[in-house]
Amino acid sequence: MNEILRQKAAGIKLLLTDNDGVLTDAGVYYNAEGELLKKFSMRDGMGVERLHKLANVTTGIISGENSPSLAKRAEKLNITELHLGIKDKVVAFKEICSRLNLSPNEVAFIGDDTNDIEVMKLAGLTASPADGLPQVKAQVDFISTLNGGDGCFREFAEFIIEAKSDKFLSGTRNGSITLQNGRVIGKGEPSYIIAEIGINHNGSLEICKKLIDEAVAAKADAVKFQKRTPEICVPRDQWEIMRDTPWGRITYIDYKRKTEFGIAEYATIDQYCKKVGIDWFVSAWDAPSVDFMEQFDTILYKLASASLTDFDLIQRILETGKPLMLSTGMSTMKEIETTMDYINQFDENYPLFIAHSTSAYPCPPQELNLKMIQTLENKYPGIPIGYSGHETGLATTVGAVAMGATFVERHFTLDRAMWGSDHAASVEPGGFQRLVRDIRDVETAAGDGEKRVYESELAPMKRLRVNISDEYKEKPTVK
């Protein structure tokens, strides 16, 4: 990011936007009654929410229209600065600055048409969508790569968030990462425990909700899913292989499509996880899946072990700015080093987690190699190291925490006997409750390493020890 623009963006407190051509595609849509309708981008809506939450930036709309659908959209997104039917945007801009006691330099504006040019001359930071008029694009600070109604507002919002954020972009790796919700993962912090639902929902939203409920009951910190584009991730020569499935005997590609959730399911998951108070995120297996997930405000991305050498996918995730969790199963040290070099070339302080893993399902104890947690910790100081386990049983995952894992992940299922590829190597609800309990007990028992005599030891000491230190001898009663 250009340093001058970074400084401008870092000082922004209010982002104002035009409507048609920015929040919408400037198309005209009418229903059967002739009412003018508007098509808004969900991605832009998430940009508004992220600005409010991550950067403490207020948002507003200045539009020459009086649009009921725009008013409803603003209400949904909690946009309080809504100015409709405005004939003179300069007058409106000055009134807003005066009322909110803001300097024009603290206000950003994104527009696309000639009626935006005069107000842009006042704003501290300006932007245009990719399809803005040439005379507008010629004078703005930031030109989006996206068209109006297609996420240009979100892209500008992320530009401002990046400049203002000290949470997950740039900075020095110091052994911990603060997520956008304030949770810290790293040395000295409680281990971040992830219940990987993956595809164990078997394509059922009902099963998925039950798994989320059970993860909450077990006191897990997060649930994780897997997001793929089947047509990209399934090799072409496997598409027509027939499989017996709960949906009958179907092709492998159709089976993969059946287990993939779409926009409606993930929107429900997003709302449900917020309602019950648990973090959620995904392993994205291809770049279009990252684009899809950017519609949601997930806390990080996981890179599956199989994708450790997929640099196109890694690049797309890095472009989001969200923390990245690397899983290292089925990988050599050379491959891990090559991927780390690639990420460090992008940003040597990029927020990164590394998970030791062995990609066998289930994995026998002799192949878990938990000492790799310490090997990675020594090799990559400043990066939180964790563990992604695929073994049966719980003791070794608890052992991983005792050996320094700052986060752990286990596959999670309602019933290990259910149909599907990952259930057998998963933990059932009762087991997950015990896992979380035992991890927390181990963390508590670890203490601080400073030797002391506890009050509970004093009575046995007086009763059993031959020579008691003067410090602990019973003092005579003063009469």
Side-chain angles (χ1 to χ4, degrees), residues 19-27 39 41 44 110 112 128-132 144-153:
N19 180 40
D20 268 350
V22 178
L23 298 181
T24 78
D25 61 3
K39 177 184 176 183
S41 165
D44 286 339
I110 177 170
D112 73 312
S128 168
D131 57 351
S144 175
T145 62
L146 302 170
N147 291 337
D150 195 30
C152 67
F153 179 92

Side-chain angles (χ1 to χ4, degrees), residues 42 145 165-166 212 214 218 229 295 322 342 361 374 405 449-450:
M42 287 182 63
T145 62
S165 173
D166 60 358
I212 294 170
E214 292 291 356
T229 305
Q295 298 174 95
K322 291 181 181 177
Y342 183 89
Y361 298 77
Q374 295 164 344
E450 184 178 318

Side-chain angles (χ1 to χ4, degrees), residues 431-447:
F432 217 94
Q433 290 186 24
R434 293 192 296 275
L435 176 66
V436 175
R437 178 200 66 196
D438 291 350
I439 286 174
R440 299 305 181 217
D441 283 349
V442 164
E443 289 171 339
T444 301

Side-chain angles (χ1 to χ4, degrees), residues 45-62:
M46 187 60 71
V48 171
E49 291 185 14
R50 284 170 60 79
L51 274 169
H52 293 174
K53 181 163 61 174
L54 301 184
N56 196 29
V57 171
T58 307
T59 53
I61 299 172
I62 301 179

Side-chain angles (χ1 to χ4, degrees), residues 174-238:
N174 60 5
S176 65
I177 293 175
T178 302
L179 302 179
Q180 64 186 47
N181 60 8
R183 174 63 194 270
V184 181
I185 303 176
K187 280 295 182 183
E189 301 290 336
S191 181
Y192 190 74
I193 303 174
I194 305 160
E196 180 174 3
I197 293 173
I199 56 173
N200 279 350
H201 51 70
N202 287 356
S204 165
L205 198 53
E206 181 182 354
I207 292 175
C208 181
K209 286 183 176 181
K210 289 180 180 178
L211 283 163
I212 294 170
D213 288 340
E214 292 291 356
V216 171
K219 299 183 180 179
D221 295 292
V223 289
K224 196 203 80 173
F225 300 88
Q226 297 175 18
K227 180 58 182 170
R228 296 174 174 85
T229 305
E231 291 75 13
I232 295 175
C233 295
V234 177
R236 188 65 181 84
D237 61 0
Q238 296 182 24

Side-chain angles (χ1 to χ4, degrees), residues 33 48 54 60 79 99 108 159 221 266 278 293 302 415 447 449 462:
E33 287 72 40
V48 171
L54 301 184
I79 297 175
R99 179 167 41 81
F159 178 81
D221 295 292
Y266 274 114
I278 193 168
M293 290 309 306
K302 172 82 181 290
D415 186 343
K462 291 175 181 177

Side-chain angles (χ1 to χ4, degrees), residues 86-140:
I86 299 300
K87 301 301 182 185
D88 191 330
K89 292 185 178 181
V90 170
V91 171
F93 181 90
K94 290 180 177 179
E95 185 279 325
I96 293 168
C97 288
S98 175
R99 179 167 41 81
L100 298 181
N101 196 27
L102 293 174
S103 160
N105 288 334
E106 295 174 314
V107 183
F109 188 89
I110 177 170
D112 73 312
D113 212 334
T114 53
N115 62 349
D116 298 316
I117 290 177
E118 290 305 312
V119 73
M120 284 179 167
K121 292 178 181 179
L122 301 176
L125 183 70
T126 57
S128 168
D131 57 351
L133 291 181
Q135 52 266 53
V136 175
K137 292 163 66 175
Q139 73 163 47
V140 298

